[in-house]
Structure formats: structure tokens, C-alpha cells
């Protein structure tokens, strides 16, 4: 489109298009509009990515020049650092608990609200509110108190304080994430509204029951939205930080049970000043998130249905 | 709707059950917030001792203690710092993201497709991949422990989410308006400022509100970049309670938590339509 040197496509253009101003002038304007983004993408994204890759092969403490150590950071991470593996396991457990639970709950609530005539807007807003508040330190502190020894959960369930119990503390963090299921509810509701009513009417005429309607109409029609939410929530779950920090006073305890990946990265980089090691951790995170996203996209071919593709 | 429609009273009963279920779920969900509000008004000896949500008497002194602030820094100072950062971020994001979005949505230039694809890809990029070098850059510039690392990136459209949101919105605007303007001799800058930008207002408001709330809630970036107590934001000041929280300081601590949440609650109440619609149309997370 922008190859001004080739005359053939321009010759076929209508006279209205030919009257346009010279193309390069508009190109210049485009780059002016883009300049903040270009600067940011270069200096704050691309360059830092390259630098962090380089630093991941060095020893660097921020004060002395980086010292090349080859693959030692990676070797140390994978073979000599049990806390690293602990943080990997903790994060994976958290992702596997929090993401499906949150999405399942969101889908159930969206389905319940879908057909509602009165009160839908109210419920939608009310369920959504925690999604905005839940990311705050304030709510994380509430969470710690409610799940602490002598807190509400202890009183109600008699399970003791989850926050001090290595077997339960991560679940408390995950529940704070699940509590924010209102955001996907809103997206699911928008998706459900896009499904043409004729599909349900046709199914009802054929005498199809509620469950079959859900499996054969709702799920396939909603699958792009479901997929979108799954990818987004998974990527975000891998980067969870604030609730784990608040619940464990920044230490990842008890017994490293809430030492999520980013908390350990923060600890190595900004508390222990091992910037090279933290960079290596960041690159592994980048690769893992990329790989998980790629796998999700690949499997999506088998279950995500795009109406525009027609019959599959 | 169909011939097999259940009798009317069964439908009504189903509807009542549905509302009852939703209200019950809401009560469970809102409990932590009610607990926060109640605890912020409880005298010290009642915080843990009883399950009762309501305090025996309202302990307003929790709030006056909270107003005194943390580490000798008054809460007004903390509030001002938070507002300054959030305000700068809002201005920066609306400015830079709308410029970039206009280029992607409306202008033709070399490399448009690959650059757009790259912009979308950065939405998925984990922040940690660029965090350490960014920190080093700001450190070399002598800007650590200032607000620049928190505000400057927003002026460079680093939050691709919002660029994408505005692009999507601009693509929905009729092209005829700009084409008519162009025939009248209106260049891309005039047509951006006088025609496209005013029409994009809903997307810009959504961007502004989300930027405010996210920046207000942000903890990680502030934790890394700020360490003078008088430069702290409300969120960072609450952090001091993370380390040492004896139950005697519970009341003031949660009074301060309430104050820190207040702007978000107010934003939510004032703009919930924009927030919910913006979420639904873009898939932004809260």
C-alpha cells in the first residue's frame, strides 16, 4: 500500500483518491503522532528487554559494573536453588487454583444474570466493585486480618488462621483473586448478549433441554470470549504480587508457602541486589508466559468457535 | 415463548430463588468491605475479641490517629503524593495513547501492520521482563526516589492496553467526517484535534478512569522507586502496617485503609456506567 514507486495500483485508483495530498506528507504526520509511542517502545520496552537478556548472563549489583558469568545464573536457578523451584511450584499451584475457579464462578454468575429482567444492571455493578478494590493494599490487609488467627474464618470454620498455616496460606491468596470475578462476569455477559436468540428458539423447538442448550449453543458461541478471558487471567495470574506480599509481610511465608515467582524475583533483585539473577528469572518468566500463551492458542483451535469461519 | 412454558407461579418462584441466590452471594462478597468499615470504627479491645460486625461504640479516634499519618508524615501529604502521581499518569496516558491510537486507526504509514502487531504483543509482555533495566535507566538518570519513573512512562504510551482500547473506538467512527474536512483543506492535525478527539471522548474517559484507579492501587512500582517516607503514597504508607501490625494499631490502620479506598469507591459510584461499559467492550481487567 505504501510503495509509492510502483505505478500500477495507483493507476487503478478512482479520481477521488488521486486528488489526495501527496502520500509522504501524511506519512510524516503519522510518525509525529506515533513519536511518543515509538520512543517508549524503543527506550522502555525493546532496549530493556535486550539489556535484561544481557544482564541475565552477568553478576550485577547495581553499583559495580556487570561481570559476565555465562549461564551460571540459569544453572544456579535450576540446580542449586530450592527456593526458586519452590516459587515456581507455588505460582503454578496458584494459577491452577485461582484462574479456573474465578472463570467458572464468573460464568455461572453471568448465566444466572443473563435472563434477568430486573436488577441485572445492579448486580452487574455490585459484583464488579471488588475487581476494582481488590488490587489495593487496603483490601489485602483486610484479607490478612480476616484469614488470621482469631479472624472471621477462624471463628466460623474453626480451621485456625490460614495465613499462618503453610497448607492454607496460598489458598487465602487465591481466594482474594477469585473474589475479583466480577470483571470476567461483565465480559461474559457482554458475550452472552451477542448470541442470537434464534439459536435458542430453534433448539427449544427441537425439544432440546437446558443442559444441551448450554453445551451445544452457549459454550461454542461464547468460546472466543471464554478463551480471551482465559489467556488474560492466566497471564495476569503468573504475575501476582501484592496479595502475596501483604499476606506474608513481604517474606513469602509461612515456610515459603506464598513465595510466588514475582515475590522471589523482587527479593533477589531489589532486596538482595542480585540484578543478574533477577534478570534471568524475568527471562524465564517471559518465556514461560509466551509458551503457555502459545499452547493456549494452539489448543484453542479445537474448542474455540468463531462464527465468521462458518461451519467447522 | 414455547409451548412447554412452565406455569406462571413456578416461573415466579424460580425468579425469587434466583434473586435470593444473587443477594446471598453479594452479601458474602461484600462482607470483607463491611468488615473493613466496621473495624475502622472499633475500639482496640473489640477488633479480634468478637465476631460482631457492629462495634459497641464508634471509635472515631481511629480516624484522627489515621489523619496524623505514618512515620511523621501527615495523611494530607500522602494523599497529595498519591493524587499527583495518579493525575500525572492520567494526563500522560490520555495524551500519548490517543496520539498513537489515531496513527494506528486512521493514518497510513510504512510498517503499520507489523508495528500494530508489536503493540498488541506488548499487552501480553510481563512487566518484569523490562523492570530491572528500566530501574537501572532511571537510577543512572538520578531519578530513583522521584516521581518521574512513575509518570514519565505514561507519556510514552507504554500501556498498550489503552492504545488498543482507543484504536477500537476510533475505528467505529464514520470516516466521512474526516474526508469532508480534508476536502475543505483540513490536515491530519486539525482533523485529529477538532474532529476525531472530541468524538473519542467516551474512550478517553474510560482510559482516564482506569488509569487513575490502577495507578492509585499500584503497589509494586511505588515500592521499588520510592523510599523517602515524605514521598510515600497512601498505598506505600499502608505498607508500614504490613511489617508491624500489633492488634492495638488495627483500628487506625483500617481507618487509613478506608481513606485510601475512598477515591476508588467514589470513582466507581460516579462512573460505574463508563467502567462497566468500558470493561465489556474492551475486556480490560479491573
Amino acid at each position: 500500500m505504501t510503495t509509492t514507486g510502483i505505478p500500477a495500483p495507483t493507476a487503478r485508483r478512482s479520481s477521488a483518491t488521486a486528488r489526495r495530498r501527496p502520500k509522504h506528507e501524511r506519512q510524516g504526520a503519522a510518525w509525529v503522532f506515533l513519536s511518543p509511542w515509538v520512543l517508549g517502545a524503543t527506550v522502555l520496552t525493546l532496549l530493556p528487554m535486550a539489556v535484561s537478556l544481557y544482564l541475565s548472563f552477568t553478576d550485577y549489583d547495581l553499583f559495580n559494573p556487570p561481570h559476565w558469568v555465562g549461564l551460571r545464573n540459569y544453572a544456579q536457578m535450576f540446580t542449586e536453588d530450592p527456593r526458586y523451584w519452590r516459587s515456581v511450584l507455588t505460582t503454578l499451584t496458584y494459577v491452577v487454583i485461582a484462574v479456573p475457579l474465578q472463570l467458572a464462578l464468573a460464568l455461572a454468575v453471568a448465566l444466572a444474570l443473563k435472563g434477568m429482567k430486573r436488577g441485572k444492571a445492579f448486580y452487574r455493578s455490585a459484583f464488579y466493585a471488588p475487581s476494582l478494590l481488590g488490587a489495593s493494599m487496603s483490601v489485602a490487609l483486610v484479607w490478612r486480618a480476616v484469614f488470621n488467627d482469631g479472624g472471621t474464618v477462624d471463628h466460623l470454620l474453626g480451621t485456625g488462621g490460614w495465613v499462618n498455616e503453610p497448607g492454607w496460606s496460598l489458598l487465602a491468596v487465591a481466594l482474594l483473586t477469585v473474589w475479583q470475578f466480577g470483571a470476567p462476569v461483565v465480559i461474559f455477559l457482554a458475550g452472552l448478549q451477542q448470541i442470537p436468540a434464534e439459536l435458542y428458539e430453534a433448539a427449544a423447538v427441537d425439544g432440546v433441554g437446558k443442559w444441551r442448550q448450554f453445551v451445544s449453543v452457549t459454550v461454542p458461541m461464547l468460546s472466543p470470549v471464554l478463551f480471551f478471558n482465559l489467556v488474560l487471567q492466566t497471564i495476569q495470574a503468573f504475575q501476582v504480587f501484592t496479595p502475596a506480599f501483604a499476606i506474608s509481610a513481604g517474606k513469602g511465608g509461612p515456610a515459603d508457602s506464598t513465595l510466588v515467582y514475582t515475590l522471589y524475583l523482587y527479593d533477589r533483585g531489589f532486596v538482595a541486589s542480585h540484578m543478574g539473577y533477577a534478570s534471568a528469572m524475568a527471562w524465564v518468566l517471559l518465556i514461560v508466559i509466551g509458551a503457555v500463551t502459545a499452547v493456549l492458542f494452539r489448543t484453542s483451535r479445537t474448542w474455540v468457535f468463531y462464527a465468521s469461519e462458518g461451519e467447522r | 415463548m414455547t409451548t412447554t412454558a412452565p406455569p406462571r407461579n413456578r416461573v415466579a418462584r424460580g425468579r425469587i430463588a434466583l434473586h435470593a441466590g444473587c443477594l446471598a452471594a453479594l452479601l458474602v462478597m461484600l462482607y470483607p468491605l463491611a468488615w473493613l468499615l466496621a473495624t475502622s470504627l472499633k475500639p482496640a479491645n473489640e477488633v479480634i475479641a468478637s465476631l460482631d460486625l457492629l462495634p459497641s461504640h464508634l471509635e472515631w479516634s481511629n480516624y484522627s490517629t489515621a489523619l496524623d499519618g505514618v512515620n511523621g508524615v501527615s495523611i494530607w501529604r500522602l494523599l497529595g503524593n498519591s493524587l499527583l502521581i495518579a493525575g500525572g499518569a492520567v494526563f500522560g496516558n490520555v495524551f500519548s495513547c490517543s496520539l498513537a491510537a489515531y496513527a494506528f486507526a486512521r493514518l497510513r504509514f510504512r510498517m503499520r501492520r507489523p508495528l500494530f502487531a508489536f503493540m498488541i504483543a506488548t499487552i501480553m509482555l510481563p512487566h518484569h521482563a523490562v523492570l530491572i533495566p528500566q530501574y537501572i535507566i532511571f537510577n543512572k538518570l538520578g531519578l530513583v526516589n522521584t516521581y518521574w519513573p512513575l509518570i514519565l512512562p505514561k507519556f510514552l504510551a507504554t500501556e498498550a492496553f489503552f492504545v488498543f482500547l482507543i484504536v477500537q473506538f476510533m475505528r467505529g467512527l464514520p470516516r466521512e467526517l474526516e474526508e469532508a474536512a480534508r476536502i475543505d483543506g483540513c490536515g491530519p492535525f486539525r482533523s485529529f484535534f477538532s474532529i476525531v478527539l472530541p468524538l473519542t471522548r467516551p474512550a478517553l474517559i474510560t482510559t482516564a478512569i482506569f488509569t487513575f484507579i490502577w495507578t492509585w492501587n499500584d503497589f509494586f512500582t511505588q515500592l521499588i522507586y520510592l523510599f523517602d517516607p515524605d514521598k510515600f503514597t497512601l498505598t506505600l504508607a499502608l505498607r508500614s502496617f504490613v511489617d508491624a501490625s500489633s492488634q492495638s494499631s488495627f483500628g487506625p490502620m483500617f481507618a487509613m485503609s478506608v481513606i485510601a479506598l475512598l477515591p476508588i469507591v467514589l470513582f466507581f459510584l460516579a462512573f460505574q456506567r463508563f467502567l462497566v461499559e468500558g470493561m465489556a467492550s474492551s475486556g480490560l481487567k479491573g
Side-chain angles (χ1 to χ4, degrees):
Chain A
M1 278 312 209
T2 49
T3 45
T4 40
I6 300 167
T10 2
R12 275 193 276 123
R13 292 254 169 92
S14 68
S15 56
T17 330
R19 261 191 271 117
R20 277 187 183 171
R21 285 149 174 272
K23 279 203 153 179
H24 56 265
E25 190 187 345
R26 292 186 69 79
Q27 279 237 24
W31 291 108
V32 173
F33 278 104
L34 268 187
S35 54
W37 178 81
V38 169
L39 192 64
T42 322
V43 178
L44 293 177
T45 305
L46 280 177
L47 177 74
M49 281 177 73
V51 171
S52 91
L53 184 61
Y54 163 72
L55 286 178
S56 75
F57 300 112
T58 67
D59 244 352
Y60 183 50
D61 62 2
L62 212 59
F63 306 106
N64 301 300
H67 167 66
W68 184 266
V69 295
L71 289 170
R72 215 186 65 199
N73 286 328
Y74 292 94
Q76 194 185 341
M77 244 157 64
F78 293 140
T79 58
E80 298 159 32
D81 187 351
R83 288 193 87 199
Y84 175 79
W85 284 111
R86 180 77 232 195
S87 76
V88 170
L89 192 67
T90 304
T91 307
L92 288 177
T93 313
Y94 164 80
V95 170
V96 168
I97 297 173
V99 175
L101 212 56
Q102 193 199 41
L103 291 184
L105 201 59
L107 185 57
V109 171
L111 285 171
L113 294 185
K114 187 188 81 161
M116 212 179 254
K117 289 192 187 67
R118 261 188 229 171
K120 180 155 74 178
F122 164 75
Y123 288 125
R124 194 172 67 154
S125 289
F127 281 122
Y128 180 54
S131 298
L132 293 176
L133 305 172
S136 64
M137 185 49 85
S138 304
V139 170
L141 289 173
V142 171
W143 221 253
R144 192 179 60 171
V146 167
F147 283 91
N148 210 336
D149 275 328
T152 311
V153 172
D154 184 8
H155 272 295
L156 284 180
L157 305 178
T159 49
W162 290 19
V163 172
N164 324 88
E165 202 51 55
W168 291 92
S169 53
L170 189 64
L171 190 58
V173 177
L175 283 181
L176 176 50
T177 309
V178 175
W179 185 64
Q180 300 168 45
F181 69 87
V185 166
V186 173
I187 304 176
F188 281 146
L189 262 178
L192 287 171
Q193 250 124 40
Q194 303 290 315
I195 302 176
E198 298 96 82
L199 288 179
Y200 289 106
E201 282 160 19
V205 168
D206 290 348
V208 168
K210 285 266 183 218
W211 173 249
R212 266 306 293 281
Q213 283 188 25
F214 174 71
V215 174
S216 310
V217 179
T218 309
V219 170
M221 292 305 285
L222 198 62
S223 58
V225 180
L226 204 59
F227 174 65
F228 177 83
N229 267 332
L230 179 67
V231 171
L232 225 64
Q233 302 294 351
T234 307
I235 290 174
Q236 278 170 351
F238 268 105
Q239 302 174 61
V240 62
F241 181 80
T242 310
F245 187 98
I247 282 178
S248 68
K251 308 287 196 302
D256 281 350
S257 61
T258 58
L259 186 72
V260 291
Y261 200 90
T262 53
L263 192 52
Y264 191 48
L265 192 155
Y266 164 78
D267 177 75
R268 291 295 87 196
F270 293 91
V271 180
S273 284
H274 294 317
M275 289 291 184
Y277 196 77
S279 298
M281 284 189 70
W283 263 86
V284 173
L285 180 68
L286 176 73
I287 290 166
V288 168
I289 288 182
V292 169
T293 311
V295 167
L296 287 177
F297 267 94
R298 199 152 274 257
T299 59
S300 76
R301 287 180 203 158
T302 62
W303 63 275
V304 176
F305 172 84
Y306 291 101
S308 55
E309 282 175 26
E311 312 239 327
R312 284 183 74 109
Chain B
M1 222 162 65
T2 56
T3 46
T4 53
R8 188 167 286 198
N9 58 350
R10 236 178 77 198
V11 173
R13 226 177 295 149
R15 203 175 290 153
I16 290 167
L18 189 59
H19 279 280
C22 282
L23 285 174
L26 256 187
L27 281 181
V28 174
M29 278 190 73
L30 297 183
Y31 172 80
L33 300 175
W35 185 95
L36 168 62
L37 205 59
T39 308
S40 74
L41 288 166
K42 273 184 183 177
N45 61 340
E46 280 180 35
V47 168
I48 284 300
S50 77
L51 244 189
D52 290 345
L53 210 49
L54 292 178
S56 61
H57 71 276
L58 299 180
E59 188 70 47
W60 291 106
S61 70
N62 287 338
Y63 278 87
S64 50
T65 311
L67 287 181
D68 290 340
V70 184
N71 303 322
V73 182
S74 86
I75 202 160
W76 304 113
R77 180 72 194 256
L78 300 169
L79 202 62
N81 293 343
S82 283
L83 279 174
L84 182 70
I85 292 170
V90 167
F91 190 72
N93 255 353
V94 170
F95 168 79
S96 65
C97 294
S98 61
L99 284 181
Y102 180 68
F104 280 125
R106 285 300 214 237
L107 302 176
R108 296 284 163 272
F109 52 95
R110 240 177 279 262
M111 306 274 290
R112 190 176 69 97
R113 276 172 179 279
L115 286 182
F116 187 71
F118 172 74
M119 193 272 293
I120 297 292
T122 60
I123 294 178
M124 300 193 185
L125 184 75
H127 180 49
H128 303 84
V130 293
L131 176 80
I132 289 165
Q134 278 187 9
Y135 184 86
I136 295 168
I137 291 170
F138 284 117
N139 190 36
K140 290 242 148 88
L141 293 172
L143 295 177
V144 167
N145 202 24
T146 71
Y147 298 144
W148 288 110
L150 303 171
I151 298 175
L152 194 65
K154 316 280 178 174
F155 277 87
L156 300 178
T158 45
E159 294 204 43
F161 242 144
F162 296 116
V163 180
F164 179 64
L165 175 91
I166 303 171
V167 164
Q168 291 296 84
F169 191 89
M170 281 182 178
R171 279 181 176 162
L173 299 175
R175 274 185 180 276
E176 287 79 5
L177 288 168
E178 289 156 273
E179 296 193 346
R182 187 161 38 207
I183 290 165
D184 292 345
C186 196
F189 292 97
R190 269 288 298 278
S191 101
F192 171 69
F193 283 109
S194 328
I195 298 168
V196 175
L197 211 51
L199 290 173
T200 314
R201 212 162 68 192
L204 301 182
I205 294 175
T206 305
T207 301
I209 301 166
F210 272 106
T211 304
F212 183 90
I213 292 174
W214 287 357
T215 313
W216 192 270
N217 276 341
D218 174 44
F219 174 68
F220 192 66
T221 334
Q222 297 171 7
L223 175 69
I224 302 179
Y225 282 113
L226 303 175
F227 39 82
D228 276 354
D230 63 338
K231 292 200 175 105
F232 275 9
T233 58
L234 272 173
T235 304
L236 268 190
L238 279 174
R239 189 241 151 139
S240 342
F241 292 117
V242 168
D243 304 325
S245 65
S246 62
Q247 282 166 12
S248 60
S249 64
F250 258 31
M253 159 177 151
F254 286 115
M256 200 163 158
S257 294
V258 170
I259 297 171
L261 275 189
L262 215 54
I264 308 177
V265 173
L266 292 178
F267 260 72
F268 176 73
L269 293 177
F271 298 112
Q272 44 153 319
R273 259 205 93 76
F274 273 109
L275 287 165
V276 172
E277 299 299 326
M279 261 286 311
S281 61
S282 65
L284 283 172
K285 194 183 173 285

